[in-house]
PDB file of all heavy atoms in Angstrom:
ATOM      1  N   GLU S 646       1.526  12.706  26.104  1.00  0.00           N
ATOM      2  CA  GLU S 646       0.947  13.603  25.149  1.00  0.00           C
ATOM      3  C   GLU S 646       1.910  14.699  24.708  1.00  0.00           C
ATOM      4  O   GLU S 646       2.022  14.997  23.544  1.00  0.00           O
ATOM      5  CB  GLU S 646      -0.332  14.283  25.755  1.00  0.00           C
ATOM      6  CG  GLU S 646      -1.582  13.440  25.660  1.00  0.00           C
ATOM      7  CD  GLU S 646      -1.879  13.141  24.189  1.00  0.00           C
ATOM      8  OE1 GLU S 646      -2.106  14.082  23.451  1.00  0.00           O
ATOM      9  OE2 GLU S 646      -1.892  11.927  23.842  1.00  0.00           O
ATOM     10  N   GLU S 647       2.548  15.301  25.749  1.00  0.00           N
ATOM     11  CA  GLU S 647       3.505  16.370  25.471  1.00  0.00           C
ATOM     12  C   GLU S 647       4.653  15.866  24.589  1.00  0.00           C
ATOM     13  O   GLU S 647       5.078  16.536  23.668  1.00  0.00           O
ATOM     14  CB  GLU S 647       4.047  16.963  26.722  1.00  0.00           C
ATOM     15  CG  GLU S 647       3.084  17.915  27.425  1.00  0.00           C
ATOM     16  CD  GLU S 647       3.702  18.414  28.767  1.00  0.00           C
ATOM     17  OE1 GLU S 647       4.125  17.544  29.545  1.00  0.00           O
ATOM     18  OE2 GLU S 647       3.652  19.607  29.015  1.00  0.00           O
ATOM     19  N   ILE S 648       5.168  14.708  24.992  1.00  0.00           N
ATOM     20  CA  ILE S 648       6.301  14.129  24.251  1.00  0.00           C
ATOM     21  C   ILE S 648       5.900  13.946  22.777  1.00  0.00           C
ATOM     22  O   ILE S 648       6.646  14.299  21.828  1.00  0.00           O
ATOM     23  CB  ILE S 648       6.810  12.793  24.896  1.00  0.00           C
ATOM     24  CG1 ILE S 648       7.386  13.106  26.242  1.00  0.00           C
ATOM     25  CG2 ILE S 648       7.825  12.119  23.958  1.00  0.00           C
ATOM     26  CD1 ILE S 648       7.863  11.867  27.043  1.00  0.00           C
ATOM     27  N   LEU S 649       4.715  13.332  22.602  1.00  0.00           N
ATOM     28  CA  LEU S 649       4.265  13.053  21.228  1.00  0.00           C
ATOM     29  C   LEU S 649       4.158  14.334  20.433  1.00  0.00           C
ATOM     30  O   LEU S 649       4.643  14.465  19.280  1.00  0.00           O
ATOM     31  CB  LEU S 649       2.958  12.337  21.205  1.00  0.00           C
ATOM     32  CG  LEU S 649       3.002  10.866  21.508  1.00  0.00           C
ATOM     33  CD1 LEU S 649       1.619  10.225  21.503  1.00  0.00           C
ATOM     34  CD2 LEU S 649       3.836  10.129  20.407  1.00  0.00           C
ATOM     35  N   SER S 650       3.540  15.360  21.037  1.00  0.00           N
ATOM     36  CA  SER S 650       3.344  16.648  20.361  1.00  0.00           C
ATOM     37  C   SER S 650       4.708  17.235  19.987  1.00  0.00           C
ATOM     38  O   SER S 650       4.867  17.745  18.872  1.00  0.00           O
ATOM     39  CB  SER S 650       2.454  17.507  21.180  1.00  0.00           C
ATOM     40  OG  SER S 650       2.853  18.882  21.037  1.00  0.00           O
ATOM     41  N   ARG S 651       5.680  17.157  20.927  1.00  0.00           N
ATOM     42  CA  ARG S 651       6.958  17.789  20.620  1.00  0.00           C
ATOM     43  C   ARG S 651       7.767  16.953  19.610  1.00  0.00           C
ATOM     44  O   ARG S 651       8.670  17.556  18.941  1.00  0.00           O
ATOM     45  CB  ARG S 651       7.776  17.855  21.932  1.00  0.00           C
ATOM     46  CG  ARG S 651       7.301  19.110  22.655  1.00  0.00           C
ATOM     47  CD  ARG S 651       7.639  19.088  24.182  1.00  0.00           C
ATOM     48  NE  ARG S 651       6.912  20.139  24.837  1.00  0.00           N
ATOM     49  CZ  ARG S 651       7.477  21.269  25.247  1.00  0.00           C
ATOM     50  NH1 ARG S 651       8.761  21.499  25.096  1.00  0.00           N
ATOM     51  NH2 ARG S 651       6.768  22.185  25.827  1.00  0.00           N
ATOM     52  N   LEU S 652       7.512  15.662  19.489  1.00  0.00           N
ATOM     53  CA  LEU S 652       8.198  14.880  18.443  1.00  0.00           C
ATOM     54  C   LEU S 652       7.561  15.025  17.068  1.00  0.00           C
ATOM     55  O   LEU S 652       8.248  15.136  16.042  1.00  0.00           O
ATOM     56  CB  LEU S 652       8.202  13.425  18.818  1.00  0.00           C
ATOM     57  CG  LEU S 652       9.066  12.931  19.973  1.00  0.00           C
ATOM     58  CD1 LEU S 652       8.781  11.439  20.204  1.00  0.00           C
ATOM     59  CD2 LEU S 652      10.526  13.173  19.686  1.00  0.00           C
ATOM     60  N   LEU S 653       6.223  15.011  17.047  1.00  0.00           N
ATOM     61  CA  LEU S 653       5.508  14.886  15.778  1.00  0.00           C
ATOM     62  C   LEU S 653       5.143  16.267  15.137  1.00  0.00           C
ATOM     63  O   LEU S 653       5.182  16.386  13.910  1.00  0.00           O
ATOM     64  CB  LEU S 653       4.286  14.014  15.943  1.00  0.00           C
ATOM     65  CG  LEU S 653       4.528  12.612  16.539  1.00  0.00           C
ATOM     66  CD1 LEU S 653       3.257  11.814  16.559  1.00  0.00           C
ATOM     67  CD2 LEU S 653       5.621  11.857  15.725  1.00  0.00           C
ATOM     68  N   ASP S 654       4.771  17.189  15.975  1.00  0.00           N
ATOM     69  CA  ASP S 654       4.343  18.509  15.388  1.00  0.00           C
ATOM     70  C   ASP S 654       5.444  19.104  14.524  1.00  0.00           C
ATOM     71  O   ASP S 654       5.161  19.637  13.418  1.00  0.00           O
ATOM     72  CB  ASP S 654       3.951  19.510  16.488  1.00  0.00           C
ATOM     73  CG  ASP S 654       2.716  19.030  17.258  1.00  0.00           C
ATOM     74  OD1 ASP S 654       2.087  17.996  16.815  1.00  0.00           O
ATOM     75  OD2 ASP S 654       2.327  19.629  18.270  1.00  0.00           O
ATOM     76  N   PRO S 655       6.786  19.103  14.988  1.00  0.00           N
ATOM     77  CA  PRO S 655       7.810  19.633  14.149  1.00  0.00           C
ATOM     78  C   PRO S 655       7.937  18.941  12.787  1.00  0.00           C
ATOM     79  O   PRO S 655       8.318  19.512  11.806  1.00  0.00           O
ATOM     80  CB  PRO S 655       9.075  19.544  14.967  1.00  0.00           C
ATOM     81  CG  PRO S 655       8.586  19.474  16.435  1.00  0.00           C
ATOM     82  CD  PRO S 655       7.325  18.745  16.342  1.00  0.00           C
ATOM     83  N   MET S 656       7.677  17.595  12.813  1.00  0.00           N
ATOM     84  CA  MET S 656       7.737  16.833  11.599  1.00  0.00           C
ATOM     85  C   MET S 656       6.649  17.291  10.658  1.00  0.00           C
ATOM     86  O   MET S 656       6.886  17.501   9.428  1.00  0.00           O
ATOM     87  CB  MET S 656       7.483  15.335  11.866  1.00  0.00           C
ATOM     88  CG  MET S 656       8.684  14.616  12.460  1.00  0.00           C
ATOM     89  SD  MET S 656       8.108  12.908  12.835  1.00  0.00           S
ATOM     90  CE  MET S 656       7.560  12.423  11.253  1.00  0.00           C
ATOM     91  N   VAL S 657       5.492  17.510  11.146  1.00  0.00           N
ATOM     92  CA  VAL S 657       4.322  17.974  10.306  1.00  0.00           C
ATOM     93  C   VAL S 657       4.711  19.394   9.722  1.00  0.00           C
ATOM     94  O   VAL S 657       4.447  19.673   8.571  1.00  0.00           O
ATOM     95  CB  VAL S 657       3.074  18.036  11.134  1.00  0.00           C
ATOM     96  CG1 VAL S 657       1.929  18.770  10.456  1.00  0.00           C
ATOM     97  CG2 VAL S 657       2.640  16.689  11.598  1.00  0.00           C
ATOM     98  N   ASN S 658       5.354  20.181  10.551  1.00  0.00           N
ATOM     99  CA  ASN S 658       5.747  21.534  10.114  1.00  0.00           C
ATOM    100  C   ASN S 658       6.686  21.434   8.993  1.00  0.00           C
ATOM    101  O   ASN S 658       6.583  22.203   7.982  1.00  0.00           O
ATOM    102  CB  ASN S 658       6.349  22.264  11.362  1.00  0.00           C
ATOM    103  CG  ASN S 658       6.238  23.774  11.255  1.00  0.00           C
ATOM    104  OD1 ASN S 658       5.345  24.266  10.600  1.00  0.00           O
ATOM    105  ND2 ASN S 658       7.124  24.452  11.926  1.00  0.00           N
ATOM    106  N   GLU S 659       7.671  20.493   9.121  1.00  0.00           N
ATOM    107  CA  GLU S 659       8.654  20.322   8.037  1.00  0.00           C
ATOM    108  C   GLU S 659       7.929  19.770   6.810  1.00  0.00           C
ATOM    109  O   GLU S 659       8.247  20.202   5.644  1.00  0.00           O
ATOM    110  CB  GLU S 659       9.738  19.330   8.508  1.00  0.00           C
ATOM    111  CG  GLU S 659      11.060  19.419   7.816  1.00  0.00           C
ATOM    112  CD  GLU S 659      11.694  20.846   7.920  1.00  0.00           C
ATOM    113  OE1 GLU S 659      11.659  21.406   9.025  1.00  0.00           O
ATOM    114  OE2 GLU S 659      12.229  21.312   6.902  1.00  0.00           O
ATOM    115  N   GLY S 660       6.977  18.935   6.995  1.00  0.00           N
ATOM    116  CA  GLY S 660       6.182  18.372   5.876  1.00  0.00           C
ATOM    117  C   GLY S 660       5.469  19.528   5.142  1.00  0.00           C
ATOM    118  O   GLY S 660       5.356  19.518   3.929  1.00  0.00           O
ATOM    119  N   ALA S 661       4.967  20.494   5.939  1.00  0.00           N
ATOM    120  CA  ALA S 661       4.285  21.620   5.294  1.00  0.00           C
ATOM    121  C   ALA S 661       5.264  22.422   4.444  1.00  0.00           C
ATOM    122  O   ALA S 661       4.914  22.858   3.314  1.00  0.00           O
ATOM    123  CB  ALA S 661       3.646  22.534   6.389  1.00  0.00           C
ATOM    124  N   ARG S 662       6.482  22.627   4.959  1.00  0.00           N
ATOM    125  CA  ARG S 662       7.510  23.365   4.161  1.00  0.00           C
ATOM    126  C   ARG S 662       7.812  22.581   2.936  1.00  0.00           C
ATOM    127  O   ARG S 662       8.026  23.171   1.827  1.00  0.00           O
ATOM    128  CB  ARG S 662       8.699  23.561   4.990  1.00  0.00           C
ATOM    129  CG  ARG S 662       8.564  24.522   6.127  1.00  0.00           C
ATOM    130  CD  ARG S 662       9.917  25.017   6.759  1.00  0.00           C
ATOM    131  NE  ARG S 662       9.658  25.738   7.922  1.00  0.00           N
ATOM    132  CZ  ARG S 662       9.761  25.297   9.161  1.00  0.00           C
ATOM    133  NH1 ARG S 662      10.277  24.110   9.388  1.00  0.00           N
ATOM    134  NH2 ARG S 662       9.440  26.025  10.212  1.00  0.00           N
ATOM    135  N   ILE S 663       7.945  21.224   3.036  1.00  0.00           N
ATOM    136  CA  ILE S 663       8.249  20.370   1.908  1.00  0.00           C
ATOM    137  C   ILE S 663       7.208  20.579   0.813  1.00  0.00           C
ATOM    138  O   ILE S 663       7.501  20.608  -0.388  1.00  0.00           O
ATOM    139  CB  ILE S 663       8.420  18.920   2.372  1.00  0.00           C
ATOM    140  CG1 ILE S 663       9.777  18.743   3.089  1.00  0.00           C
ATOM    141  CG2 ILE S 663       8.243  17.907   1.266  1.00  0.00           C
ATOM    142  CD1 ILE S 663       9.912  17.455   3.828  1.00  0.00           C
ATOM    143  N   LEU S 664       5.950  20.645   1.267  1.00  0.00           N
ATOM    144  CA  LEU S 664       4.890  20.858   0.263  1.00  0.00           C
ATOM    145  C   LEU S 664       4.945  22.289  -0.389  1.00  0.00           C
ATOM    146  O   LEU S 664       4.773  22.399  -1.550  1.00  0.00           O
ATOM    147  CB  LEU S 664       3.519  20.687   0.997  1.00  0.00           C
ATOM    148  CG  LEU S 664       3.123  19.237   1.324  1.00  0.00           C
ATOM    149  CD1 LEU S 664       1.955  19.227   2.210  1.00  0.00           C
ATOM    150  CD2 LEU S 664       2.860  18.413   0.067  1.00  0.00           C
TER     151      LEU S 664
END
Side-chain angles (χ1 to χ4, degrees):
E646 275 303 298
E647 281 177 312
I648 293 177
L649 280 178
S650 147
R651 279 161 192 255
L652 288 176
L653 304 183
D654 296 351
M656 284 176 56
V657 171
N658 206 22
E659 204 59 41
R662 290 194 188 103
I663 284 169
L664 287 169

